[in-house]
Amino acid sequence: MTHMHVAGEIHAEAASPAPVWLTRPEDVNALTMKLWSSTTRRGEDGAIEVGGVRLTELAAQVGTPVYVLDEDDFRARARAWKQAFEGWTVYYAGKAFLSGTIAKWVAEEGLYLDVASLGELTVALRAGFDPARIGHHGNNKSVEELRISLTRGVGRIIVDSSDEISRLEELCAELGVKAKVMVRVTTGVEAHTHEYIATAHEDQKFGFSIASGQALVGMFRCHHSPYLELMGIHSHIGSQIFDTHGFEVAARRTLKLFAQFKEATGQEMPQLDLGGGFGIAYTKEDDPSTPENLAAGLREIVAHECRAFGLTQPEISLEPGRAIVGTAGMAVYRVGTVKPVDIGGGLTRRYLSVDGGMSDNIRPALYAAEYSAALANRNSAADPVVSRVVGVHCEGGDILVRDEFLPADVGVGDLLAVPASGAYSRSMANNYNHTPRPPVVAVRDGLITTVLRRESLDDVLALDAGLENEA
């Protein structure tokens, strides 16, 4: 995985025209469908369509940049996960992207919902999501958000530290309630992903360590507390994971805790959550698994480990987020400048600057995430050339798509679409350089529906006390 130079990626990168995995396409207009939502296609005039809506018409109507969600694709993926894991409980991980509309889609498709902040919890509750079907995450939950979870009847709270257990006990005593909790554990599994999104190794902020014995201590404390009902263990090994190998080790280590708990107390805990982190295709080289294959592998792993430890199989839950919303979304930009840059050795890199940037997708700058792109408003007969799609921000690392073959005639005014932008783009968006965040629209059967409206400069500046009296 790429590790950034401390002074920025531009100082770490050797001059090269493209990464070795990026191959020249035979047809620069062809769409690699594993990257795009299921209703995406090119129309007869070459313009990309999604949900029966041409991106040229959508851009003319709502402007750019814009995030576009394929509603049918989102719903189909939610159903596929629910069906593949029938008998298990599937929580949609709201941190990938959550809004009132998404919460309603999740409820309508019969999934549960995982939230990781006061804001996400508030969105879910205001959208009318059943609190009993909500799981509440977070490594430093405030008294305010825990109070809301307890008073509204949230189905489970995943405790992450001894301090949180104390905080929760005090609130339960004050409110006269008992909280259903799961203990998040650190399994020590090194997920094959970027260090910033690997969450089960020992040296990081999440969970109680199994290796140090903290996990078992936390479990016993919850079990003996008069204010808490210990439901089980929660484990999460990281994000953008394509197979079940890491889950096998995590299941073995967590179920060993189940066995130790049973031996010490004579009771079996009823629930195990294996977390999420299931990957999607961002580039042609990515090869994610299907919910069906993942289900088969995980079922076998859990059954085997339960037999080995002499346990009754607990109720299993998991938390796909990106795997449902990621490919269902795309981002659409308009090209503003085209600049050939000499990078030495007789090589030239073409920079395409668009009207968005790291404010609407910080992942490439944050942990060198790779994306793809396609010319969206027309076909092209020009040769494919390696291009870099960059944003408008005052940062050398403001890169949206590091390397992609795009037609040589892409020019000012053309539209570019970046697939697989549904997860962690809008949810991690920011106002760097005082830039308003783009809108999110849903498309279905030729109709466009606003999910989140476009921010205006007035929205961005509304909190600036120094401008309150300025027109």
Side-chain angles (χ1 to χ4, degrees):
M1 216 48 192
T2 301
H3 291 266
M4 308 293 264
H5 188 281
V6 291
E9 66 86 27
I10 195 169
H11 299 277
E13 182 181 17
S16 61
V20 295
W21 55 263
L22 184 65
T23 56
R24 190 178 191 274
E26 294 182 4
D27 179 1
V28 74
N29 300 304
L31 300 177
T32 302
M33 286 312 300
K34 68 179 177 179
L35 307 179
W36 302 87
S37 68
S38 56
T39 70
T40 304
R41 60 182 292 271
R42 281 199 186 273
E44 293 182 1
D45 63 352
I48 292 178
E49 300 177 3
V50 58
V53 178
R54 300 169 76 249
L55 293 185
T56 50
E57 296 175 358
L58 186 146
Q61 181 174 328
V62 303
T64 56
V66 58
Y67 306 105
V68 185
L69 274 178
D70 184 340
E71 180 179 347
D72 282 339
D73 187 86
F74 180 99
R75 289 181 178 274
R77 292 177 193 274
R79 287 193 296 271
W81 278 89
K82 187 172 186 288
Q83 291 166 4
F85 288 91
E86 185 178 359
W88 291 16
T89 305
V90 179
Y91 284 77
Y92 171 72
K95 67 176 185 172
F97 176 63
L98 185 63
S99 70
T101 298
I102 292 293
K104 291 171 184 176
W105 291 355
V106 170
E108 289 165 2
E109 296 302 335
L111 272 59
Y112 286 59
L113 178 62
D114 180 77
V115 300
S117 70
L118 174 59
E120 290 176 8
L121 176 61
T122 302
V123 168
L125 294 174
R126 289 190 183 180
F129 203 93
D130 181 0
R133 297 169 68 89
I134 294 176
H136 189 176
H137 263 293
N139 68 295
N140 185 21
K141 305 179 193 70
S142 68
V143 171
E144 179 186 5
E145 59 184 305
L146 287 173
R147 184 185 298 276
I148 292 172
S149 276
L150 292 171
T151 56
R152 295 296 297 272
V154 162
R156 66 182 191 185
I157 298 172
I158 295 86
V159 295
D160 200 270
S161 68
S162 295
D163 288 333
E164 184 181 350
I165 292 175
S166 298
R167 190 175 300 153
L168 198 54
E169 287 181 316
E170 290 174 5
L171 278 170
C172 287
E174 173 192 331
L175 298 170
V177 298
K178 196 167 187 177
K180 293 183 177 181
V181 301
M182 300 186 80
V183 173
R184 177 161 180 173
V185 302
T186 305
T187 60
V189 176
E190 291 288 346
H192 291 189
T193 187
H194 192 283
E195 62 178 302
Y196 288 3
I197 53 177
T199 57
H201 57 278
E202 293 292 338
D203 189 12
Q204 48 87 39
K205 70 176 186 176
F206 292 110
F208 293 82
S209 167
I210 293 177
S212 70
Q214 292 176 349
L216 207 55
V217 171
M219 291 159 56
F220 287 148
R221 182 177 172 188
C222 291
H223 173 66
H224 291 294
S225 172
Y227 303 109
L228 308 179
E229 180 181 356
L230 177 61
M231 304 304 295
I233 293 173
H234 185 286
S235 163
H236 182 67
I237 64 174
S239 296
Q240 191 57 3
I241 298 167
F242 288 165
D243 56 45
T244 60
H245 297 309
F247 290 98
E248 182 172 2
V249 180
R252 182 178 304 122
R253 293 177 182 175
T254 52
L255 286 168
K256 183 178 179 180
L257 279 179
F258 272 70
Q260 292 171 331
F261 181 84
K262 178 181 178 182
E263 183 178 0
T265 66
Q267 299 179 29
E268 292 194 27
M269 290 181 292
Q271 296 179 10
L272 170 62
D273 192 301
L274 294 173
F278 307 101
I280 63 171
Y282 287 101
T283 69
K284 296 175 184 177
E285 72 162 350
D286 291 334
D287 188 23
S289 188
T290 64
E292 293 76 17
N293 288 339
L294 289 169
L298 289 174
R299 288 182 192 279
E300 182 178 350
I301 288 168
V302 170
H304 178 272
E305 297 303 329
C306 284
R307 287 195 301 269
F309 288 112
L311 295 168
T312 303
Q313 183 169 309
E315 176 188 335
I316 308 294
S317 55
L318 67 167
E319 299 162 358
R322 181 200 321 260
I324 293 174
V325 73
T327 311
M330 68 176 72
V332 182
Y333 303 95
R334 193 174 297 279
V335 177
T337 67
V338 179
K339 183 187 294 185
V341 176
D342 183 359
I343 60 174
L347 299 174
T348 299
R349 193 190 312 280
R350 188 176 62 154
Y351 280 75
L352 306 177
S353 295
V354 298
D355 52 358
M358 62 191 296
S359 60
D360 53 80
N361 187 357
I362 201 172
R363 296 184 69 251
L366 185 61
Y367 33 70
E370 300 282 1
Y371 282 83
S372 305
L375 179 62
N377 56 301
R378 59 182 174 86
N379 279 324
S380 173
D383 289 336
V385 297
V386 176
S387 306
R388 178 163 291 177
V389 183
V390 298
V392 299
H393 298 291
C394 193
E395 292 286 339
D398 179 24
I399 297 169
L400 286 168
V401 183
R402 188 170 302 274
D403 296 288
E404 179 64 285
F405 276 102
L406 290 167
D409 64 350
V410 172
V412 174
D414 276 327
L415 296 178
L416 295 181
V418 176
S421 297
Y424 301 107
S425 292
R426 181 56 174 83
S427 63
M428 297 176 77
N430 57 84
N431 295 123
Y432 185 48
N433 291 152
H434 285 76
T435 304
R437 289 175 294 182
V440 182
V441 299
V443 291
R444 185 181 191 185
D445 297 332
L447 299 177
I448 302 171
T449 304
T450 299
V451 175
L452 293 174
R453 68 172 179 83
R454 184 184 300 280
E455 273 188 334
S456 67
L457 275 173
D458 286 339
D459 292 327
V460 175
L461 301 179
L463 300 179
D464 192 331
L467 298 176
E468 287 180 349
N469 298 319
E470 302 295 329

